[in-house]
Amino acid sequence: MEAASHTVTNQAPPLVGYDVYTSDRALAEAVGRHLPAELLDEAGEELRALGRATGSEQVREWGEQANAYPPRLRTHDRFGQRIDEVEFHPAWHRLLGKAVAAGLTDAWGRPGGHVRRAAGFLVATQAEAGIGCPVSMTHAAVPALRAEPELAAVWEPLAASRVYERELLPVAGKAGVLLGMGLTEKQGGSDVRAVTTSARPLAAPGEYVLTGHKWFCSAPMSDAFLVLARAPGGLTCFLVPRVLDDGSRNAFALQRLKDKLGNRSNASAEVEFPGTTWARRVGEEGRGLRTVMGMVAATRLDCVLGSAALMRQAVAQAVHHASYRSAFGGLLADKPLMRNVLADLAVESEAATVLGMRLAAAYDAAEGGSERDRALLRIAVPAAKYWVTKRCVPVVAEALECLGGNGYVEESGLPRLLRESPLNSVWEGAGNIQALDVLRALRTEPAALDAYLREVGEARGADPRLDRAIRGVLAELADLEGVEARARRLAERMALVLQGALLVRWAPPEVADAFCAGRLGGDTGSAFGTLPHTLDLRAVVERARPVE
Ligand SMILES: Cc1cc2nc3c(=O)[nH]c(=O)nc-3n(C[C@H](O)[C@H](O)[C@H](O)COP(=O)(O)OP(=O)(O)OC[C@H]3O[C@@H](n4cnc5c(N)ncnc54)[C@H](O)[C@@H]3O)c2cc1C
């Protein structure tokens, strides 16, 4: 029996048993906006089911277990034969199985498929971000695979399958597959032209053997990998299956698993191709960079969505906590200064969600033939990847502080979110690479800037701070002196203006007003919680509250 002095009071209950999807109003509204009416009922039902599962005690527990018992590398079996397998806790398989069954690898060619998938990704990765990696690569491999129609005919339906089948088998015997990618080597990641892995053609057309290594190869339990290697005709993309058609294992030696800051439920390996690794060419020799860029663009959007998910989960936890915890005679959420912090965080989270979902809708429109949306993606994805992923660490750190000492303790879940937060800005090209890619888009695709300006132009005249910021971007672009050193500044401004334009068009006035004041108006300090006190901060916080 507890002593009277140990009666526990004034602790917030855990945030479980709620619908992660419907209680995220910004997300649910984006789905309603971007999907055609005839899909809304079915999509809403699917997303609500996923939202309830993600917010359930059971799934939360799986997320914790998948981190507490990280993957283990098993290079050999008991008889000394190489097996190169990774052993995961059952919780990992349950989480990944749920994500696959929810259609998070099934977007291409499906009406509204990218919006539905993006919303599901934003929901499911809130329980555990680690599953985002295999799900994202499997989804993103499709445009690259399409460079080789014969291969795509076999692998694409399996990548889109709702069946999670973890056994390594020949592709003919699989009901669903996972796909990964191997670009980065020891001597170069951003600069993939430094790749030294070599590909020697075999007699059969399109078949090669690889010699070399990959320094980062995540989700190494996947069924096949898109790998960049140097063929006689130059850098080329290859499909490397783990199991060959005759049932034997391909030479794919897992050297080590990386000991990472976060993302600990997911395995990231170093791989050696010992000169006998069988590979099938994807696209022409010498066109490898172009082929893999289709994959990289899609995974970059998932970095935006993944960061939006981390921010949303952190903000939901912070608002929830402050709605139950009292100090100095009242609830934290009612204290004017705490309300300012929460509102500022909520605005950042909503801006990330609205931008990520607009870009997912652009994928659907581009698949339907919209040139404007295709061009918008070319410039807006790297700008968004640069800015949204950069905002993730400060948002999550500030949300952690809203929980006080409890937030610093593992049981709260906030430390796990914080460890995960820097990753999306590192992989798939770190911040500078994204900013430089915005410049490349400006130089090589005039249609991309036109599409961007048309997009932000839709909101012109609605808010003077936004109009001023648009003029600021145009002034930056008019003078390209020293532009490489200014690339971050430009990417940031372009992303902020785009977020502002989307919020002014679609968010409730109090959210758009807070964003324009805080991000475009120059009317705040550098830390969160410095919005002008005259704004309707109560309404902004209320909108972000997760409904249990
Ligand atoms: C957990 C994890 C999992 C990963 N999984 C995979 C995977 O599955 N497959 C895969 O292929 N890769 C994977 N990667 C690798 C990842 O994509 C690279 O680490 C990333 O692209 C950066 O490349 P790099 O590490 O070689 O850094 P570098 O290229 O050495 O860059 C270092 C820094 O220099 C900056 N920089 C580079 N060039 C310039 C320039 N011209 N001007 C200014 N600054 C510049 C970069 O922005 C970066 O900040 C993974 C990485 C991590 C952390």
Side-chain angles (χ1 to χ4, degrees):
M1 183 146 149
E2 291 286 342
S5 65
H6 282 91
T7 306
V8 178
T9 61
N10 198 24
Q11 289 277 359
L15 177 56
V16 287
Y18 77 113
D19 179 345
V20 172
Y21 171 65
T22 32
S23 55
D24 185 346
R25 292 169 188 82
L27 177 60
E29 287 167 18
V31 169
R33 177 161 61 238
H34 293 307
L35 279 186
E38 67 272 16
L39 294 178
L40 279 178
D41 281 350
E42 188 194 89
E45 205 171 302
E46 247 177 45
L47 287 164
R48 284 191 295 276
L50 185 63
R52 284 193 299 273
T54 305
S56 69
E57 199 153 356
Q58 175 69 88
V59 171
R60 292 278 145 165
E61 197 178 308
W62 290 345
E64 281 161 25
Q65 288 169 343
N67 278 270
Y69 305 99
R72 286 193 316 171
L73 176 60
R74 291 188 59 221
T75 51
H76 296 79
D77 69 9
R78 56 187 282 222
F79 308 106
Q81 318 254 28
R82 276 210 85 107
I83 52 169
D84 298 292
E85 290 194 2
V86 183
E87 208 172 77
F88 291 89
H89 189 272
W92 164 266
H93 293 298
R94 290 183 184 125
L95 288 166
L96 190 50
K98 253 195 177 309
V100 170
L104 300 197
T105 59
D106 180 16
W108 305 96
R110 179 178 170 225
H114 290 275
V115 165
R116 293 173 73 163
R117 175 195 172 274
F121 190 87
L122 227 151
V123 168
T125 55
Q126 288 186 51
E128 169 45 29
I131 56 159
C133 172
V135 162
S136 176
M137 292 195 293
T138 303
H139 153 71
V142 169
L145 279 172
R146 286 180 177 173
E148 205 62 46
E150 207 184 298
L151 277 183
V154 175
W155 289 87
E156 188 177 328
L158 295 175
S161 162
R162 310 266 172 136
V163 179
Y164 172 56
E165 200 183 314
R166 54 198 250 210
E167 270 76 34
L168 286 176
L169 297 170
V171 64
K174 297 266 324 191
V177 295
L178 294 176
L179 298 165
M181 71 171 147
L183 312 182
T184 311
E185 297 185 359
K186 289 178 183 127
Q187 69 286 352
S190 314
D191 187 2
V192 283
R193 292 166 308 176
V195 160
T196 58
T197 294
S198 64
R200 182 168 57 80
L202 296 171
E207 297 186 20
Y208 294 71
V209 282
L210 305 186
T211 309
H213 80 280
K214 293 293 162 184
W215 182 230
F216 279 91
C217 183
S218 289
M221 71 292 177
S222 300
D223 296 279
F225 298 81
L226 287 171
V227 168
L228 209 51
R230 207 164 277 288
L235 269 188
T236 305
C237 178
F238 294 93
L239 183 82
V240 178
R242 288 297 310 270
V243 182
L244 301 176
D245 287 346
D246 65 3
S248 62
R249 291 283 169 102
N250 203 359
F252 195 90
L254 301 183
Q255 307 291 85
R256 292 195 285 178
L257 296 187
K258 303 283 195 187
D259 185 7
K260 297 175 287 186
L261 166 68
N263 199 248
R264 296 184 76 83
S265 66
N266 179 37
S268 300
E270 295 165 18
V271 181
E272 198 75 21
F273 306 131
T276 50
T277 304
W278 184 89
R280 177 70 207 277
R281 179 168 43 73
V282 183
E284 289 167 34
E285 278 194 14
R287 310 263 300 169
L289 268 183
R290 180 178 287 262
T291 306
V292 296
M293 276 325 283
M295 178 172 191
V296 169
T299 53
R300 284 179 178 171
L301 176 54
D302 280 358
C303 293
V304 175
L305 297 167
S307 292
L310 289 167
M311 287 192 259
R312 169 61 197 163
Q313 183 53 215
V315 171
Q317 294 285 354
V319 173
H320 171 80
H321 180 87
S323 305
Y324 284 93
R325 176 83 166 179
S326 294
F328 300 99
L331 282 177
L332 287 175
D334 292 334
K335 304 286 179 193
L337 188 51
M338 179 57 100
R339 187 181 292 146
N340 198 330
V341 173
L342 294 171
D344 215 352
L345 292 173
V347 162
E348 195 68 40
S349 159
E350 178 152 356
T353 297
V354 167
L355 176 54
M357 292 304 292
R358 169 65 187 98
L359 297 180
Y363 260 103
D364 280 327
E367 274 209 279
S370 163
E371 259 315 296
R372 175 181 162 183
D373 284 85
R374 192 205 55 76
L376 177 67
L377 286 169
R378 175 63 194 92
I379 197 158
V381 168
K385 157 80 158 89
Y386 170 71
W387 185 239
V388 172
T389 64
K390 278 267 170 281
R391 297 301 280 166
C392 194
V393 174
V395 166
V396 175
E398 191 68 60
L400 180 155
E401 192 173 317
C402 292
L403 276 73
N406 284 356
Y408 202 72
V409 174
E410 285 293 338
E411 287 165 334
S412 74
L414 269 298
R416 180 147 65 91
L417 294 179
L418 185 58
R419 282 194 297 275
E420 193 72 29
S421 292
L423 183 52
N424 284 315
S425 80
V426 174
W427 62 11
E428 308 307 328
N432 289 354
I433 297 303
Q434 302 309 313
L436 293 172
D437 197 36
V438 171
L439 292 190
R440 194 168 307 112
L442 287 170
R443 284 196 192 108
T444 58
E445 271 206 58
L449 179 59
D450 288 348
Y452 171 84
L453 292 175
R454 279 179 69 183
E455 187 73 22
V456 300
E458 305 263 0
R460 206 178 268 243
D463 188 293
R465 294 159 297 190
L466 177 63
D467 288 348
R468 219 173 20 251
I470 296 175
R471 287 198 297 277
V473 167
L474 290 172
E476 284 268 351
L477 290 168
D479 171 17
L480 293 181
E481 171 74 22
V483 71
E484 190 165 329
R486 286 195 282 124
R488 276 188 177 224
R489 186 185 147 101
L490 182 62
E492 174 180 330
R493 284 184 148 201
M494 289 182 76
L496 282 172
V497 163
L498 183 52
Q499 287 182 318
L502 298 177
L503 291 175
V504 162
R505 281 168 74 193
W506 294 325
E510 64 272 11
V511 174
D513 195 18
F515 186 88
C516 289
R519 310 297 185 264
L520 305 177
D523 199 11
T524 53
S526 306
F528 289 106
T530 54
L531 290 170
H533 69 280
T534 47
L535 298 171
D536 189 355
L537 302 177
R538 183 191 292 274
V540 176
V541 177
E542 197 44 49
R543 179 171 163 80
R545 186 189 306 282
V547 182
E548 292 145 77

